Amino acid sequence: MKFVNKDTGLELLISNELINRLAAYGKEKYPNEFGGLLLGKYINNKKTVVIKETLLPKKFRSSRYYFERGSNGLKEQLEQYYANEDLVYVGEWHTHPDNVAVPSQTDLKSMRELAEDENVLINNPVLMILEIQKADYDIGIYFLFNGKLLRYIWAESE
């Protein structure tokens, strides 16, 4: 699937299969929030991010309106993906059970902190939010740009 932000010209590509897998992980933890890392690569002079995989945390804290992932073991897994598949960390995803796929103020603060972290080498991290309901889901995909979360919009195949 292709998503674009018309204001910046930035694009995001992700497979239906991966989106469905993320939704399945979220439904397993329903009605609590859940999430993980997004891995991918940048192409087209870094104007397009291709999301290829996710890493799930081994430890996390969550409730119906809160998710905090642990970082135990994630660095080593990231290094393996980089070495073997040339994939890098591009952002985060998490669920909003029975709530809209729109970032909260906490989400915005987290993305800003992420972009400012000297150990993270991306300026525009991706944030994918899945609105999880018992039988269905919806997604919102955003990226940090100049301190604000801008939304990618689904683009029909051309």
Side-chain angles (χ1 to χ4, degrees), residues 43-93:
I43 60 172
N44 191 22
N45 285 338
K46 294 191 175 183
K47 291 183 180 176
T48 303
V49 60
V50 182
I51 298 177
K52 300 287 237 175
E53 192 54 80
T54 184
L55 284 179
L56 303 179
K58 293 179 181 176
K59 293 188 177 186
F60 60 93
R61 294 188 308 167
S62 73
S63 71
R64 188 157 180 74
Y65 303 105
Y66 175 80
F67 174 74
E68 180 183 341
R69 72 162 172 78
S71 57
N72 245 6
L74 290 177
K75 181 180 178 193
E76 294 78 15
Q77 289 180 62
L78 275 169
E79 288 171 352
Q80 286 180 348
Y81 272 99
Y82 182 73
N84 297 327
E85 299 184 39
D86 202 25
L87 298 180
V88 297
Y89 170 77
V90 296
E92 304 275 332
W93 72 272

Side-chain angles (χ1 to χ4, degrees), residues 14-142:
I14 186 170
S15 70
N16 278 332
E17 176 188 30
L18 181 54
I19 291 172
N20 289 335
R21 197 160 30 112
L22 299 179
Y25 294 142
K27 286 179 181 181
E28 287 174 11
K29 305 297 185 200
Y30 181 91
N32 288 346
E33 288 194 8
F34 185 64
L37 304 182
L38 295 170
L39 307 180
K41 54 179 70 179
Y42 294 94
I43 60 172
N44 191 22
N45 285 338
K46 294 191 175 183
K47 291 183 180 176
T48 303
V49 60
V50 182
I51 298 177
K52 300 287 237 175
E53 192 54 80
T54 184
L55 284 179
L56 303 179
K58 293 179 181 176
K59 293 188 177 186
F60 60 93
R61 294 188 308 167
S62 73
S63 71
R64 188 157 180 74
Y65 303 105
Y66 175 80
F67 174 74
E68 180 183 341
R69 72 162 172 78
S71 57
N72 245 6
L74 290 177
K75 181 180 178 193
E76 294 78 15
Q77 289 180 62
L78 275 169
E79 288 171 352
Q80 286 180 348
Y81 272 99
Y82 182 73
N84 297 327
E85 299 184 39
D86 202 25
L87 298 180
V88 297
Y89 170 77
V90 296
E92 304 275 332
W93 72 272
H94 69 273
T95 62
H96 283 181
D98 296 320
N99 207 339
V100 294
V102 174
S104 66
Q105 285 301 312
T106 302
D107 294 333
L108 175 59
K109 181 179 180 225
S110 296
M111 289 294 102
R112 286 177 175 162
E113 289 172 356
L114 188 62
E116 293 170 1
D117 187 326
E118 58 191 39
N119 296 315
V120 178
L121 302 177
I122 53 175
N123 297 324
N124 306 104
V126 173
L127 173 62
M128 181 182 294
I129 300 173
L130 288 96
E131 171 187 336
I132 299 290
Q133 299 170 1
K134 280 188 177 183
D136 203 8
Y137 71 89
D138 193 13
I139 61 171
I141 306 175
Y142 305 84

